Amino acid sequence: MTKEKLKREPGDISDDQAVCYMLKNMDSEISTVFERAESMKPCPIGSGISGICCKNCAMGPCRITGDKTGLCGATMGTIAARNLARHIAAGAAAHSDHGRDLTHLMGLAAEGKAEGVRIKDEKKLLEYAECLGIKTEGREVNEIAKEASEKSLSLFGQQSGEIDLVKIAPEKRQELWRKRNVMPRGVDREIVEVMHRTHTGVDMEAEHILDQAVRTALGDGWGGSMIATEISDILFSTPNPNRAKTNLGMLADDEVNIVVHGHEPTLSDIIATLANDDEMIEYAKSKGAKGINVVGICCTANEVLMRQGIAPIGNYLSQELAIMTRSVEVMVVDIQCIMQSLGRLTEKYHTKLITSSPKCKIPGALHMEFEDDNGLKLAREIIRMAIDNYENRPKEVCIPDIREDLVAGFSRESIKYMLGGKFRSSFRPLNDAIIDGRIQGVVGIVGCNNARCAHDRYHNYLTREFIKRDYLVVMTGCGALSAAKCGLMESEAMEYAGEGLRSICETVGMPPVLHLGSCVDNSRILTVVSDVVREGGLGDDISDLPVAGIAPEWMSEKALSIGTYVATSGVYVAFSGEPIPVEASSEVKEIMTTRWQEKYGGQLEYIADIDELLAKVISVIQQKRKALKIDTKQERVLFDMEARRALKDV
Ligand code: SF4
Ligand code: MSK
């Protein structure tokens, strides 16, 4: 990990000014992900661009280009479909296992056995229980929560039937999934079946393999991820809009800094709460600090931002740089999107890296396991450890003086409330605004950062381009933090919005770009679009709506699962940045576009050129408006020349 000189200028690497500041000013001799991305190029065959690689048996790895086949005779299309199905299964497993843990925790909280965790949102619990078919009338909250936990847990191992939460989808969509035989039976069952069918010598027809991948992804979006979101709301409260600040400048030079990172809201929520405890603050002061500053990275940050207004200091590509500010006493990581490099990096700094999940250990980190009944005790121990470590902080820190205001905390419930008011909470005003053209459509811009593309650039470019054309933008995950860091999630962002969108946002009092949460919270988008269909006037299925999804800087396998469940829920989805690893197979690309469009009314494709992607999304949404006969009001023409040219080619 010896540092090599970066070949690119900081401004070419990232759009985040704090990241650029760190790249210019940090003095470490240790390489970051940005140098490693320059020194190691991706394998064109392994990444599925100019060929495909199979290592599903010991006769391989087989590297396939053109008409060649593997030793067993497997073709490019079969291998591409198998590889993609396995990626989707891994992504679905990650989200769903997260959901399973929360389900288990809710059961313990109901029994009073989960230290520091209780049922916070009773209304949401009742709605959730009813969706699971659980009787709620006249019953104690904890009794309902216990049964809801047991019922939810059973959905993971269920072998037949349907996952109850699919009932949230419009009826027409449910019927379609039944007809196509992709209705998820149980969350785990579908993941296991992908692993079986992609073992050497089992399923060999690309479309048939992908049918099972679709069923697995639907079991994630409408199962594992949705369970995770619903139960997080029940245990830690359903988000409401709140103000916060973001970026590395939110690290304090005179307080004890604790960074929570990963994806789980459990221990991080307890740490954030306990850091306000007088006894803890007094202890910090006794060690010379002015207080305790809890901040976050990635989706753990999104979870505590949405509910407690805790500052997110960065997204995926900022994690190493946070430590390099020399100001972090403790970084607590749980699961997913944590770079292994943090282990070696923290050896060079005073920062203590703590792994807290039984599922994740990192060489170089201290493992302090979060168990069902030790939340408060562990949080106290971690905070005290951070305070004790404050005296080891070097005198000179390197914190960029860069921060931005944001408003986060938009849930399905809070958006409905903002639109319709407490007593008539409804999506009607949104539907009406879409019908009369003040809002042209809704675009979800979600997903990761990727060190092989300019950090945050595509997220922010697309967000600005859509809001100026009157498209409401909803965001989750690291994409949401990109927009927040450049000021697109506050009322001042209104100046970038088109007239129609601005008029709605000003009336309702919301920014033109809405932060809907972490990556599991993409399930919130599914519940919002389902409610919009039910509200009426925009067709009777999700595929009728003028909406689209984009993951412009995607990186993780979870993104592939998300893209698949959104596409097969009836939405046009485009990925950019790095290709989906099936580019070399025209057969698989055809299935994911033309065939999925015929079968599900949505598709998933990769478009390298960002202006071409922008034009394609606009074209798809405008076609939906036309089909709904709401295209009479002309869209404002704000295209630059490049976008116009791309539009002609669509
Ligand atoms: Fe090669 Fe077939 Fe084995 Fe894959 S399963 S490694 S294509 S022989
Ligand atoms: S953290 S999955 S890099 S969004 Fe959810 Fe960010 Fe992607 Fe991880």
Side-chain angles (χ1 to χ4, degrees):
M1 295 237 290
T2 311
K3 190 176 176 80
E4 288 173 32
K5 205 170 156 25
L6 277 166
K7 296 183 189 84
R8 296 165 295 167
E9 289 300 315
D12 296 329
I13 293 172
S14 176
D15 268 13
D16 176 344
Q17 293 310 304
V19 167
C20 292
Y21 176 94
M22 289 303 296
L23 293 175
K24 279 184 209 147
N25 293 289
M26 65 197 185
D27 57 359
S28 174
E29 284 308 304
I30 305 164
S31 74
T32 65
V33 64
F34 301 107
E35 282 100 15
R36 295 193 293 274
E38 286 184 355
S39 64
M40 185 167 58
K41 296 292 166 212
C43 164
I45 293 190
S47 59
I49 300 169
S50 59
I52 205 93
C53 175
C54 178
K55 47 189 172 70
N56 288 11
C57 89
M59 296 199 291
C62 295
R63 295 193 306 159
I64 312 298
T65 50
D67 292 339
K68 271 171 61 180
T69 66
L71 263 65
C72 65
T75 61
M76 174 94 79
T78 301
I79 296 171
R82 282 200 309 222
N83 288 356
L84 179 65
R86 284 192 167 204
H87 287 311
I88 290 169
H95 278 152
S96 303
D97 210 31
H98 171 174
R100 184 198 329 270
D101 287 348
L102 285 159
T103 307
H104 180 62
L105 189 69
M106 179 164 78
L108 291 168
E111 290 175 348
K113 291 182 186 162
E115 218 194 23
V117 184
R118 63 185 172 81
I119 309 300
K120 273 202 187 140
D121 192 333
E122 292 181 12
K123 186 166 177 278
K124 184 100 185 206
L125 170 67
L126 297 186
E127 283 168 15
Y128 180 64
E130 269 159 31
C131 182
L132 296 179
I134 294 170
K135 198 175 148 289
T136 56
E137 221 179 290
R139 297 179 75 192
E140 289 289 319
V141 166
N142 283 336
E143 197 189 332
I144 299 168
K146 181 79 186 124
E147 192 178 339
S149 160
E150 282 160 5
K151 182 72 208 286
S152 308
L153 270 180
S154 75
L155 298 179
F156 289 88
Q158 192 169 281
Q159 298 302 309
S160 57
E162 296 175 358
I163 294 173
D164 293 282
L165 298 174
V166 295
K167 284 186 283 189
I168 293 171
E171 300 218 334
K172 197 169 168 191
R173 180 67 20 190
Q174 296 176 43
E175 272 311 309
L176 185 69
W177 288 331
R178 282 182 201 113
K179 192 167 143 203
R180 303 288 180 219
N181 202 23
V182 293
M183 187 63 104
R185 297 158 291 189
V187 178
D188 296 354
R189 164 155 199 186
E190 309 309 351
I191 296 167
V192 170
E193 194 168 316
V194 162
M195 298 312 285
H196 175 197
R197 278 162 67 164
T198 56
H199 185 279
T200 184
V202 187
D203 203 356
M204 299 171 208
E205 194 182 279
E207 188 165 353
H208 194 240
I209 293 165
L210 289 180
D211 285 345
Q212 180 56 23
V214 166
R215 182 141 62 167
T216 304
L218 290 172
D220 171 2
W222 297 88
S225 278
M226 200 170 275
I227 291 170
T229 297
E230 298 294 296
I231 295 183
S232 294
D233 287 356
I234 292 167
L235 293 179
F236 305 107
S237 75
T238 302
N240 272 309
N242 61 50
R243 291 185 186 285
K245 287 185 187 293
T246 180
N247 221 332
L248 289 169
M250 290 307 291
L251 285 164
D253 59 4
D254 53 4
E255 293 183 38
V256 173
N257 288 319
I258 300 174
V259 180
V260 290
H261 171 25
H263 281 76
E264 288 184 340
T266 29
L267 181 61
S268 48
D269 188 271
I270 305 174
I271 290 174
T273 306
L274 197 62
N276 293 319
D277 187 78
D278 288 345
E279 188 196 317
M280 287 291 157
I281 295 170
E282 281 313 309
Y283 186 55
K285 286 183 177 164
S286 76
K287 298 285 180 176
K290 287 203 172 134
I292 305 162
N293 182 39
V294 178
V295 293
I297 286 185
C298 276
C299 284
T300 295
N302 284 322
E303 297 283 358
V304 283
L305 162 69
M306 294 284 280
R307 300 185 175 90
Q308 297 205 42
I310 296 294
I313 58 166
N315 43 13
Y316 179 67
L317 291 179
S318 303
Q319 55 188 287
E320 293 171 314
L321 303 180
I323 288 166
M324 290 166 136
T325 64
R326 302 193 292 266
S327 69
V328 175
E329 274 59 56
V330 157
M331 183 181 275
V332 196
V333 301
D334 44 68
I335 47 160
Q336 301 168 19
C337 304
I338 302 149
M339 289 188 193
Q340 181 167 354
S341 61
L342 296 182
R344 289 178 71 181
L345 188 62
T346 45
E347 284 169 9
K348 309 277 179 192
Y349 292 86
H350 82 295
T351 307
K352 287 190 190 302
L353 179 68
I354 298 173
T355 47
S356 63
S357 164
K359 292 168 193 167
C360 162
K361 285 194 176 184
I362 303 175
L366 195 62
H367 189 68
M368 297 172 72
E369 200 157 300
F370 174 61
E371 289 159 16
D372 303 330
D373 57 354
N374 74 348
L376 268 176
K377 187 167 159 278
L378 182 62
R380 191 169 282 115
E381 240 175 272
I382 289 171
I383 296 173
R384 287 185 80 91
M385 185 180 282
I387 296 171
D388 289 337
N389 197 23
Y390 183 69
E391 63 185 14
N392 297 322
R393 185 193 286 190
K395 288 212 166 21
E396 294 280 307
V397 293
C398 179
I399 303 174
D401 187 16
I402 294 166
R403 56 194 71 76
E404 195 54 73
D405 292 321
L406 78 139
V407 181
F410 292 93
S411 53
R412 175 178 68 102
E413 293 80 353
S414 65
I415 299 171
K416 253 174 129 168
Y417 168 67
M418 292 192 82
L419 289 166
K422 189 173 179 182
F423 299 106
R424 285 181 297 112
S425 118
S426 139
F427 279 104
R428 193 70 251 157
L430 176 65
N431 286 33
D432 288 344
I434 294 173
I435 291 166
D436 71 24
R438 279 174 296 164
I439 293 179
Q440 290 291 312
V442 182
V443 183
I445 304 179
V446 307
C448 323
N449 300 135
N450 187 318
R452 301 207 179 275
C453 352
H455 176 213
D456 292 351
R457 185 157 302 160
Y458 283 179
H459 282 297
N460 295 339
Y461 174 70
L462 290 172
T463 304
R464 285 200 186 90
E465 293 301 313
F466 280 113
I467 63 172
K468 86 178 180 201
R469 293 174 170 85
D470 291 326
Y471 293 83
L472 177 68
V473 173
V474 297
M475 303 188 82
T476 59
C478 289
L481 296 179
S482 308
K485 285 184 292 173
C486 74
L488 286 168
M489 283 186 171
E490 52 164 339
S491 46
E492 261 121 81
M494 220 68 95
E495 71 180 83
Y496 301 109
E499 224 174 280
L501 176 61
R502 192 164 57 225
S503 70
I504 299 295
C505 292
E506 281 171 354
T507 310
V508 171
M510 65 185 194
V513 183
L514 303 183
H515 190 321
L516 262 73
S518 62
C519 25
V520 289
D521 291 338
N522 283 306
S523 60
R524 285 192 204 282
I525 301 179
L526 299 180
T527 59
V528 168
V529 292
S530 300
D531 271 9
V532 167
V533 170
R534 274 194 196 95
E535 191 58 53
L538 290 169
D540 52 9
D541 193 0
I542 296 170
S543 53
D544 296 327
L545 299 177
V547 301
I550 309 171
E553 299 176 28
W554 79 280
M555 169 278 296
S556 77
E557 290 173 310
K558 291 180 288 173
L560 292 170
S561 178
I562 294 166
T564 302
Y565 72 65
V566 173
T568 53
S569 294
V571 177
Y572 172 79
V573 180
F575 277 35
S576 196
E578 286 304 295
I580 300 169
V582 298
E583 274 301 290
S585 168
S586 49
E587 181 188 359
V588 169
K589 287 201 294 183
E590 175 79 6
I591 294 167
M592 293 169 71
T593 51
T594 313
R595 286 293 292 143
W596 283 6
Q597 189 65 45
E598 289 161 7
K599 285 160 78 173
Y600 309 111
Q603 56 177 284
L604 169 57
E605 69 175 335
Y606 168 70
I607 303 179
D609 183 276
I610 207 68
D611 285 309
E612 191 186 322
L613 182 151
L614 171 67
K616 178 71 184 277
V617 169
I618 290 171
S619 155
V620 168
I621 291 183
Q622 290 304 321
Q623 282 164 22
K624 302 262 178 182
R625 292 187 65 86
K626 198 168 179 191
L628 288 165
K629 300 191 175 35
I630 55 170
D631 60 326
T632 41
K633 192 174 170 185
Q634 283 298 306
E635 193 199 357
R636 296 188 334 138
V637 181
L638 288 169
F639 279 18
D640 59 28
M641 280 316 290
E642 214 168 337
R644 277 169 206 257
R645 258 180 254 123
L647 190 56
K648 272 188 211 143
D649 298 333
V650 173

